[in-house]
Amino acid sequence: GENVEQHPSTLSVQEGDSAVIKCTYSDSASNYFPWYKQELGKRPQLIIDIRSNVGEKKDQRIAVTLNKTAKHFSLHITETQPEDSAVYFCAAPGGGGADGLTFGKGTHLIIQP
Amino acid sequence: DAGITQSPRHKVTETGTPVTLRCHQTENHRYMYWYRQDPGHGLRLIHYSYGVKDTDKGEVSDGYSVSRSKTEDFLLTLESATSSQTSVYFCAISESTGLGQETQYFGPGTRLLVL
């Protein structure tokens, strides 16, 4: 099945700076890569996703890049704000069966004022 | 929030007792999933369903069973709860055509404590 590795586990940045979270995956057949944001005590919320027919996707301050050859994808957040503080999860298809998602273990992003 | 509810939202139970968690959706989506979330492990797939009475195992299915008798409801049962099943359980839905390649939307979660 799929294996997803996510780094770093904790990331602290100054407000206004950029943050980058990286994930690698193992199954070369995977072609859909979502990113979820989870605030304390809340459900994971999709913030952006990318499919393998594109190398980059942007939505305001958030962007995701995909390198299929190297089997890694990254989340980029620019001009970070206090409300960006949360845990971020990457995922790829293949949760131990033919369906579902395999998630990385999460990155706790801390925005320092 | 994609029309997904979970019940109960919190539950405390004792080791050895049966527990059933319910996920209800109003979106008429075909696919429904149960995940558990534990510190240091992220979210892990327990079981999923691709239609009424059609279910399959995920990564961490031991000790769990599921049923789906209606499109809108997906039940997760712990036949005999153990302390290792203390966790936060999330239901998710999608219109996946298979291979997990469509957006999944999550319910609010159920926090289960097994004493």
Side-chain angles (χ1 to χ4, degrees), chain A residues 6-42:
Chain A
Q6 182 172 347
H7 299 281
S9 57
T10 303
L11 178 60
S12 181
V13 301
Q14 292 291 324
E15 182 178 351
D17 288 349
S18 296
V20 181
I21 302 169
K22 299 179 179 181
C23 288
T24 62
Y25 61 98
S26 60
D27 187 350
S28 57
S30 292
N31 62 2
Y32 172 68
F33 306 95
W35 285 90
Y36 287 85
K37 175 184 180 182
Q38 187 178 30
E39 297 176 345
L40 188 63
K42 300 292 182 62

Side-chain angles (χ1 to χ4, degrees), chain B residues 4-113:
Chain B
I4 312 169
T5 57
Q6 292 184 230
S7 59
R9 295 293 313 280
H10 303 271
K11 186 169 181 66
V12 180
T13 191
E14 294 186 348
T15 298
T17 60
V19 177
T20 295
L21 309 182
R22 179 182 183 236
C23 178
H24 179 78
Q25 59 146 333
T26 59
E27 306 297 313
N28 202 35
H29 282 351
R30 179 184 175 196
Y31 277 70
M32 299 184 75
Y33 310 83
W34 278 107
Y35 292 88
R36 61 177 289 175
Q37 184 173 36
D38 306 288
H41 290 278
L43 291 138
R44 293 180 291 173
L45 182 67
I46 305 171
H47 281 280
Y48 67 97
S49 169
Y50 47 96
V52 173
K53 298 186 179 179
D54 292 322
T55 65
D56 206 348
K57 297 179 180 180
E59 179 187 357
V60 290
S61 59
D62 288 348
Y64 301 95
S65 63
V66 290
S67 66
R68 191 167 178 201
S69 59
K70 298 184 290 185
T71 299
E72 58 265 35
D73 289 325
F74 192 30
L75 304 181
L76 176 70
T77 298
L78 291 65
E79 301 290 348
S80 178
T82 68
S83 58
S84 64
Q85 293 176 312
T86 291
S87 188
V88 180
Y89 292 86
F90 286 100
C91 173
I93 64 174
S94 82
E95 261 305 313
S96 178
T97 57
L99 303 178
Q101 293 175 5
E102 298 297 329
T103 301
Q104 292 189 17
Y105 298 97
F106 285 83
T110 294
R111 191 172 296 273
L112 177 66
L113 174 61

Side-chain angles (χ1 to χ4, degrees), chain A residues 11 84 108:
Chain A
L11 178 60
D84 294 329
H108 185 195

Side-chain angles (χ1 to χ4, degrees), chain A:
Chain A
E2 179 69 275
N3 182 45
V4 176
E5 300 281 344
Q6 182 172 347
H7 299 281
S9 57
T10 303
L11 178 60
S12 181
V13 301
Q14 292 291 324
E15 182 178 351
D17 288 349
S18 296
V20 181
I21 302 169
K22 299 179 179 181
C23 288
T24 62
Y25 61 98
S26 60
D27 187 350
S28 57
S30 292
N31 62 2
Y32 172 68
F33 306 95
W35 285 90
Y36 287 85
K37 175 184 180 182
Q38 187 178 30
E39 297 176 345
L40 188 63
K42 300 292 182 62
R43 73 187 79 190
Q45 298 265 20
L46 180 76
I47 55 172
I48 195 166
D49 57 14
I50 191 168
R51 297 183 188 274
S52 59
N53 56 341
V54 297
E56 183 176 6
K57 183 178 179 180
K58 290 183 179 180
D59 182 3
Q60 300 182 354
R61 298 186 295 108
I62 294 173
V64 57
T65 58
L66 172 64
N67 183 327
K68 285 214 70 177
T69 302
K71 290 190 284 187
H72 68 71
F73 56 111
S74 300
L75 178 71
H76 305 254
I77 305 175
T78 59
E79 302 174 5
T80 54
Q81 300 171 4
E83 55 265 35
D84 294 329
S85 293
V87 179
Y88 292 80
F89 293 95
C90 63
D99 215 305
L101 292 169
T102 296
F103 285 82
K105 294 184 178 181
T107 296
H108 185 195
L109 177 61
I110 301 166
I111 307 301
Q112 302 279 6

